[in-house]
């Protein structure tokens, strides 16, 4: 049974449940009240501004009734119920994360050993949505990528996959693009050359957060797809040399693309990006699109290049990569802010043709959470 005690100042209260004690400020509780005068019953959006809350807000009284905490605020003379489970899930009175480069709950890093258990969904089952789609989207969120098998070898079929969770993000490459050999390619992806593991479009701000590649033809020799967990690579660099890790986190690289008429894209971001509290949130790595680095101090430039060289070696380490061959109707989707992708060179009389497109991760997360909340019938 939970117990509550209000601090004599009224500025905060403390909830004790067994040995655990969690504190909440009066202003935080009032700002997060769920009553119909504070939040719209229809959509949950807040109906008041912070300016509508008295600057001297305090807790006049608090009582636990079953699974509900009732809080009375002064000087408003307003009483609001809070679900104790909701408060537990949203508690902020906890020890700060330890170390730079920590990962959000639910993320699992991986290496080549995942080749024996590649996260995979079957096209026809995903199209039925429900549990199959919820499970597959959950795999994408956990591992940062997942395969799809058994789809139709039809142009545009990849758009049906994006429709399951979001919307295509059009770019200068179009709503979708072809990945096959061209005589005068505007991008090295449109050749038979092998490509180092990379994230796409680091020269955009923001980058597309989801990428989908769908196979239509693959009779060429070679051309296997590879994926590398950028988060695992970043954490490996941190374990080997924390100074190098900090160099790639603490200084911006520059990326540019001007390979087509009328297009000049540029961005300035670190190769390894951390949130202010140290959470590892993004990896950008694309040697083909790297511009001249000019945001690293003279005294740190050699260290930065040493760090970048080592990170590149880690990315190229075969022990980090999962490899697979796409057959017509197969596809894979990846989180472009985390997972790097590559391909081995291909040649010979055969044909290799893929279609690709971009989307955004917020739609994928939204669909997954909505399916889970609804029980994914």
């Amino acid at each position: 049974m939970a117990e509550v005690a209000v601090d004599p100042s009224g500025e905060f209260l403390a909830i004790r449940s067994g040995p655990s004690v969690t504190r909440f400020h009066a202003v935080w509780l009032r700002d997060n009240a769920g009553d119909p005068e504070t939040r719209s019953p229809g959509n949950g959006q807040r109906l008041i501004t912070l300016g509508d809350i008295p600057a001297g807000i305090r807790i006049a009284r608090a009582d636990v009734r079953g699974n509900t905490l009732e809080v009375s605020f002064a000087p408003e003379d307003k009483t609001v119920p809070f679900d104790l489970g909701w408060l537990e899930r949203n508690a902020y009175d906890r020890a700060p994360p330890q170390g730079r480069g920590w990962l959000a709950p639910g993320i699992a890093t991986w290496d080549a050993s995942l080749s024996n258990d590649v996260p995979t969904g079957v096209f026809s089952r995903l199209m039925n949505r429900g549990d199959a789609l919820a499970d597959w989207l959950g795999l994408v969120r956990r591992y940062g990528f997942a395969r799809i098998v058994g789809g139709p070898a039809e142009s545009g079929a990849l758009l049906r996959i994006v429709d399951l969770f979001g919307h295509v993000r059009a770019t200068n490459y179009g709503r979708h693009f072809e990945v096959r050999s061209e005589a005068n390619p505007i991008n090295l992806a449109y050749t038979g050359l092998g490509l180092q593991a990379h994230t796409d479009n680091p020269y955009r701000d923001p980058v597309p957060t989801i990428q989908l590649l769908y196979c239509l033809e693959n009779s060429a020799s070679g051309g296997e797809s590879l994926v590398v967990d950028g988060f695992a690579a970043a954490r490996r660099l941190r374990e080997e040399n924390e100074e190098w890790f900090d160099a790639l986190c603490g200084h911006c690289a520059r990326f540019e693309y001007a390979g087509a008429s009328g297009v000049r894209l540029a961005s300035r971001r670190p190769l390894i990006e951390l949130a202010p509290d140290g959470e590892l949130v993004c990896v950008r790595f694309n040697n083909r699109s790297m511009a001249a680095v000019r945001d690293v101090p003279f005294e740190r430039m050699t260290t930065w290049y040493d760090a970048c060289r080592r990170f590149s070696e880690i990315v190229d380490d075969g022990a980090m990569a999962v490899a697979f061959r796409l057959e017509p109707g197969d596809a894979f989707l990846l989180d472009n802010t985390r997972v790097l992708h590559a391909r081995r060179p291909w040649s010979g009389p055969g044909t290799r043709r893929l279609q690709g497109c971009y989307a955004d991760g917020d739609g994928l997360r939204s669909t997954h959470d909505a399916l889970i909340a609804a029980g994914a019938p």
Side-chain angles (χ1 to χ4, degrees):
M1 180 67 179
E3 299 176 350
V4 61
V6 178
D7 185 77
S9 68
E11 292 182 359
F12 66 90
L13 57 74
I15 301 173
R16 179 182 295 276
S17 180
S20 174
V21 177
T22 309
R23 297 168 296 177
F24 295 91
H25 288 92
V27 66
W28 186 93
L29 290 165
R30 180 64 185 89
D31 187 43
N32 287 283
D35 63 287
E37 289 78 31
T38 303
R39 288 185 178 268
S40 169
N43 56 39
Q45 293 186 316
R46 192 176 279 108
L47 298 172
I48 64 172
T49 68
L50 194 57
D52 295 320
I53 299 174
I57 190 79
R58 67 184 190 278
I59 300 167
R61 191 185 74 257
D63 300 289
V64 174
R65 303 182 188 280
N67 294 319
T68 301
L69 173 69
E70 291 187 352
V71 182
S72 297
F73 296 96
E76 287 182 295
D77 191 25
K78 181 181 182 65
T79 300
V80 178
F82 294 88
D83 178 75
L84 288 173
W86 184 91
L87 288 172
E88 181 180 0
R89 292 190 299 274
N90 290 279
Y92 58 91
D93 184 19
R94 57 183 185 270
Q98 297 298 309
R100 288 158 54 83
W102 62 274
L103 297 174
I107 289 179
T109 55
W110 45 268
D111 55 22
S113 61
L114 191 63
S115 299
N116 299 321
D117 192 22
V118 175
T120 302
V122 178
F123 185 91
S124 59
R125 294 177 185 170
L126 297 182
M127 290 297 135
N128 291 328
R129 299 178 182 268
D131 288 340
L133 179 59
D135 291 345
W136 184 78
L137 294 176
L139 292 172
V140 174
R141 296 183 71 174
R142 181 170 178 80
Y143 297 106
F145 85 103
R147 290 189 65 189
I148 300 172
V149 298
E154 299 174 358
S155 178
L158 77 171
L159 304 181
R160 294 172 60 187
I161 297 173
V162 175
D163 286 342
L164 291 172
F165 64 81
H167 307 279
V168 171
R169 177 174 168 183
T171 69
N172 58 293
Y173 300 116
R175 277 178 51 80
H176 71 272
F177 50 89
E178 300 283 334
V179 183
R180 58 185 173 187
S181 182
E182 295 181 356
N184 297 297
I186 63 171
N187 192 301
L188 288 177
Y190 304 160
T191 71
L193 298 174
L195 298 176
Q196 184 187 34
H198 62 282
T199 59
D200 261 25
N201 291 202
Y203 38 75
R204 295 189 191 278
D205 185 13
V207 298
T209 48
I210 295 292
Q211 180 172 7
L212 177 64
L213 288 168
Y214 195 101
C215 181
L216 297 178
E217 301 176 62
N218 197 4
S219 57
S221 176
E224 291 84 0
S225 298
L226 299 94
V227 287
V228 174
D229 187 353
F231 284 1
R235 287 162 68 89
R236 178 173 162 184
L237 178 68
R238 184 195 63 182
E239 292 166 3
E240 291 182 1
N241 191 314
E242 193 160 359
E243 182 184 11
W244 287 354
F245 176 81
D246 288 342
L248 298 190
C249 297
H251 301 289
C252 285
R254 290 180 182 254
F255 302 93
E256 294 179 355
Y257 175 76
S261 176
V263 177
R264 295 192 68 86
L265 293 162
S267 74
R268 173 181 172 272
R269 290 290 187 274
L271 297 186
I272 300 172
E273 184 176 351
L274 305 180
D277 61 359
E279 180 189 1
L280 178 54
V281 295
C282 184
V283 169
R284 296 176 182 84
F285 187 77
N286 190 319
N287 186 64
R288 290 173 290 137
S289 302
M290 185 89 75
V293 177
R294 58 181 189 269
D295 298 289
V296 180
F298 179 87
E299 295 77 11
R300 296 278 290 165
M301 187 62 80
T302 300
T303 299
W304 188 90
Y305 266 101
D306 288 343
C308 193
R309 181 190 300 274
R310 182 56 189 150
F311 189 65
S312 180
E313 291 170 349
I314 292 172
V315 165
D316 287 339
D317 185 349
M320 301 293 291
V322 170
F324 47 84
R325 179 179 175 83
L326 294 175
E327 300 298 337
D330 291 351
F332 69 100
L333 180 144
L334 57 85
D335 178 346
N336 189 51
T337 66
R338 171 187 173 183
V339 174
L340 293 72
H341 64 287
R343 70 150 184 259
R344 291 174 177 151
W346 58 279
S347 61
T351 301
R352 185 181 188 272
R353 180 191 175 198
L354 275 63
Q355 287 185 334
C357 70
Y358 301 113
D360 289 306
D362 56 353
L364 187 149
R365 293 188 295 272
S366 172
T367 300
H368 180 243
D369 288 346
L371 286 169
I372 296 300

